[in-house]
Amino acid sequence: MKKLTRKIRLALLSPALIIATAFSTVNIGQAQTSALKIVGRDAATNATTNLQVWSGRSSVIDFSQTGEVITYIRLADPSRAVFNTDAELKTNQARTIFVQPIQPLQFPGATTANITNLFVKTRSPEGIERLYTFNVVHRDGQPTNNGIAISTVVPGQEPSVTLADNRTATIGDIERGLGIAIRRGYTPPNDPVVFKVREFIALARNGTGIAKAAETTNLSMSVVISLGQLGLSREPVFEIPKTSSFSPSPLTLIPGN
C-alpha cells in the first residue's frame, strides 16, 4: 500500500500534495439512520443550516461521516439552549454536538433572540479547517428528526474527498486514478490493495461515508488521496527512466495500513 502511494507520488512529481491521514475508530451508525437529516458538507459551509430542537429532547449535529473533529463551538444566545459534545474538544476526538432547549434564563447585559445562531469550527483529517453556521430553531409538537448529519455523501451526487491543494476528487476520479495506476504498472491488478480500493468505491457509492468506507476496508487515506490526485491529473504521467537506479519492489499489503 505504501509502495503504491510512493509510485503515484513519483508520477505526479508533487509529493507535497499527498498527505497521509489516519482515522480513529468511530461509531457512525447513528449518523446513517433516517432519523437524522443528511446535509452535504459543501452546502453546510456555504449557507446557514436550521437545527430544530424540541422541548425535553436533544438534537445532534454529527460530523462522523466526514471524519472532521470539532475544535470550537460558539452559541450566541445561551439563555434558551445548552450544548455538550461526545468528547472534550481538547482531545481532538469530538465529532458530535448535542443541543437541548432549556427554560429561559436571564444574563445581565445579554441580549436574546427567538432564533439564535451556533458556530462550529472543525478540522478534517487532511488538516483543512471549516466553519459551519446553524440557526437553533425551537419547535413545538411532534419531532420530525433527531438532528443533522454532515456528510460527503449527498443523494444524487457522487461522494468526494478533499485533496491537499483544496481540490475535490469524486469517487469517479478515484476510480479513474486506480485504472491509471494499473495501466501504468504502479500496481498489479491482482494486488490486495486494488481489491480494497474497489470495495471502498462500492461502499462509498452505496451510501457509506468516506471515512467509514476507508475504515471498513482497512484502506489508508493516503492511497485514496493519491488515486484521486492521479485521476484528476491531466498532465503526462512521469515514467521512471530505464537507467534509473530506482527499482520498486512488488507491492505488498501491510496489515493496519
Side-chain angles (χ1 to χ4, degrees):
M1 191 177 294
K2 290 182 178 179
K3 293 184 177 70
L4 174 60
T5 304
R6 183 182 180 188
K7 291 178 183 179
I8 295 175
R9 286 176 176 173
L10 288 172
L12 293 171
L13 290 177
S14 184
L17 296 180
I18 311 301
I19 296 181
T21 58
F23 286 89
S24 59
T25 302
V26 293
N27 179 6
I28 66 171
Q30 184 185 40
Q32 294 176 326
T33 66
S34 59
L36 296 184
K37 178 183 177 182
I38 304 298
V39 178
R41 183 182 61 193
D42 292 340
T45 54
N46 292 327
T48 300
T49 304
N50 286 341
L51 174 70
Q52 300 180 91
V53 296
W54 285 267
S55 178
R57 296 176 61 91
S58 291
S59 295
V60 305
I61 304 171
D62 186 76
F63 294 92
S64 297
Q65 292 193 32
T66 67
E68 294 168 90
V69 296
I70 302 163
T71 59
Y72 181 77
I73 305 171
R74 174 66 177 177
L75 180 63
D77 177 11
S79 68
R80 301 180 64 206
V82 294
F83 68 85
N84 59 12
T85 56
D86 58 339
E88 293 186 21
L89 300 188
K90 64 181 180 181
T91 66
N92 290 321
Q93 295 295 321
R95 288 183 170 87
T96 306
I97 305 170
F98 302 86
V99 181
Q100 182 174 340
I102 60 174
Q103 292 291 337
L105 302 175
Q106 291 186 349
F107 297 101
T111 59
T112 62
N114 289 332
I115 298 178
T116 190
N117 50 358
L118 176 71
F119 297 92
V120 181
K121 288 195 69 174
T122 66
R123 185 173 59 252
S124 74
E126 299 82 20
I128 299 171
E129 294 188 338
R130 294 183 175 89
L131 176 64
Y132 297 85
T133 58
F134 301 90
N135 283 328
V136 180
V137 182
H138 294 257
R139 296 294 192 191
D140 296 319
Q142 183 68 28
T144 57
N145 60 66
N146 286 323
I148 296 167
I150 306 298
S151 178
T152 56
V153 181
V154 181
Q157 296 181 13
E158 277 232 307
S160 61
V161 60
T162 302
L163 306 179
D165 57 359
N166 283 330
R167 287 195 298 168
T168 298
T170 66
I171 290 298
D173 295 322
I174 295 168
E175 187 174 42
R176 184 161 48 253
L178 177 63
I180 294 172
I182 293 173
R183 288 195 302 272
R184 296 185 180 273
Y186 304 144
T187 181
N190 61 345
D191 192 282
V193 174
V194 174
F195 295 105
K196 285 181 175 292
V197 173
R198 287 175 174 160
E199 184 182 357
F200 164 84
I201 291 171
L203 287 173
R205 281 185 168 154
N206 281 282
T208 302
I210 294 290
K212 183 62 175 179
E215 179 190 331
T216 300
T217 57
N218 195 28
L219 182 66
S220 169
M221 280 300 296
S222 63
V223 173
V224 174
I225 293 172
S226 298
L227 292 174
Q229 181 68 27
L230 185 59
L232 288 173
S233 176
R234 296 295 181 265
E235 298 178 2
V237 179
F238 175 72
E239 299 290 353
I240 300 172
K242 293 182 179 179
T243 58
S244 171
S245 61
F246 176 77
S247 178
S249 57
L251 181 66
T252 56
L253 179 65
I254 302 176
N257 282 8

